[in-house]
Amino acid sequence: MSEREVLESLRENARYSAADIARMTDLEEAEVEATIEELEAAGVVRGYQAVVDWDKLADERVRAEVELNVTLDRETGYDDIAERLARFPEVKALRLISGDYDFDMEVEGDSIREVSQFISEKVAPVPEITQTVTHYVMTSYKENGIELGDGEDDDRLSFSP
């Protein structure tokens, strides 16, 4: 039985029932239910979320990608900094990455002012953080593997060989 098949189905649509996943994977429904329960109990599946197209709502959210550079010392490691930052509800995602900066942090708020204040008053003062660079999200075209928008804005010409 493939845990990966069940996980991929749940990632595609977390609202699939065990019966739906069983049909798609040729597994027994009871096997799918047991697999999901095991994955949840083991902490592999951490939750289920809706993918929201905020541009479709009057109540928009301001989102930003924030690059963070840090300096480590003998007592403080990446995990310590990540643990401190991840506690803030404004932080929607936090990743240690390779490249020109150390962390990539996704932040949400009700306004640019709120996001800016959060970064300047809560994130930047963390002693190990040496630099922040904030990029505000203007438009999202795809979130968690799902294309957003109405799909009718594609004015490219069709091509068929």
Side-chain angles (χ1 to χ4, degrees), residues 12 15 21 23 35 44 48-49 96 98 102 117 124 132 158:
E12 179 182 313
R15 294 184 70 179
I21 295 171
R23 276 191 302 278
T35 299
V44 174
Y48 301 90
Q49 296 181 345
L96 178 65
S98 64
D102 300 307
Q117 281 182 314
T132 66
S158 296

Side-chain angles (χ1 to χ4, degrees), residues 31-139:
E31 278 184 280
V32 172
E33 288 172 347
T35 299
I36 292 171
E37 287 175 14
E38 289 169 11
L39 292 168
E40 289 172 344
V44 174
V45 174
R46 307 289 290 209
Y48 301 90
Q49 296 181 345
V51 177
V52 178
D53 187 346
W54 291 104
D55 292 340
K56 299 279 186 192
L57 298 174
D59 182 28
E60 274 191 56
R61 299 284 290 164
V62 173
R63 294 177 299 141
E65 296 284 332
V66 184
E67 301 172 7
L68 301 173
N69 277 318
V70 300
T71 299
L72 303 178
D73 58 36
R74 289 178 187 250
E75 293 84 37
T76 308
Y78 290 119
D79 290 346
D80 299 315
I81 297 166
E83 186 178 313
R84 195 173 331 159
L85 294 171
R87 289 183 185 152
F88 292 111
E90 295 88 349
V91 176
K92 301 305 175 190
L94 180 64
R95 299 173 191 90
L96 178 65
I97 61 169
S98 64
D100 293 335
Y101 51 99
D102 300 307
F103 286 101
D104 176 49
M105 182 172 68
E106 293 178 26
V107 177
E108 276 188 10
D110 289 330
S111 67
I112 289 177
R113 172 173 288 219
E114 182 180 299
V115 171
S116 296
Q117 281 182 314
F118 167 70
I119 294 163
S120 65
E121 295 174 8
K122 303 289 186 187
V123 176
V126 172
E128 295 82 10
I129 294 177
T130 58
Q131 181 183 25
T132 66
V133 178
T134 304
H135 305 275
Y136 288 96
V137 176
M138 306 301 288
T139 300

